[in-house]
Amino acid sequence: MEGQGAAADPQLQQFIEVESQKQRFQQLVHQMTEVCWEKCMDKPSPKLDSRTESCFVNCVERFIDTSQFILNRLEQTQRSRGSFSETMSD
């Protein structure tokens, strides 16, 4: 019986992690849409002009670049903290 509970636990943890990633992705998309809409959309119209389209493309690319930079920075910080705490525990 105990073996089944232990086997289900990693699956549950993986499911929770995947769902959390989906939620973070949805939040990023929503945030990106809001930021770029406010920055690029002067007045609503049925068609995007080339300037507005170009603005959206640039905005999305900068948003992705910035998000990736922040993620990389957080990973570096976590790695350096991990090695620091391992050194402290020795």
Side-chain angles (χ1 to χ4, degrees), residues 30-83:
H30 178 73
Q31 185 181 9
M32 179 184 60
T33 302
E34 189 175 326
V35 166
C36 293
W37 185 268
E38 289 297 317
K39 180 173 177 37
C40 298
M41 222 30 210
D42 294 331
K43 56 185 187 306
S45 65
K47 204 171 175 187
L48 291 180
D49 60 18
S50 61
R51 185 186 64 78
T52 305
E53 184 176 354
S54 190
C55 180
F56 275 117
V57 168
N58 288 331
C59 182
V60 168
E61 287 175 353
R62 294 302 71 78
F63 192 92
I64 291 170
D65 290 345
T66 303
S67 297
Q68 190 61 49
F69 174 79
I70 291 169
L71 276 175
N72 290 339
R73 197 74 172 143
L74 288 172
E75 286 176 5
Q76 287 175 351
T77 303
Q78 286 177 339
R79 271 188 252 128
S80 66
R81 283 186 181 166
S83 57

Side-chain angles (χ1 to χ4, degrees), residues 81-90:
R81 283 186 181 166
S83 57
F84 177 74
S85 60
E86 287 170 11
T87 305
M88 296 298 287
S89 64
D90 287 343

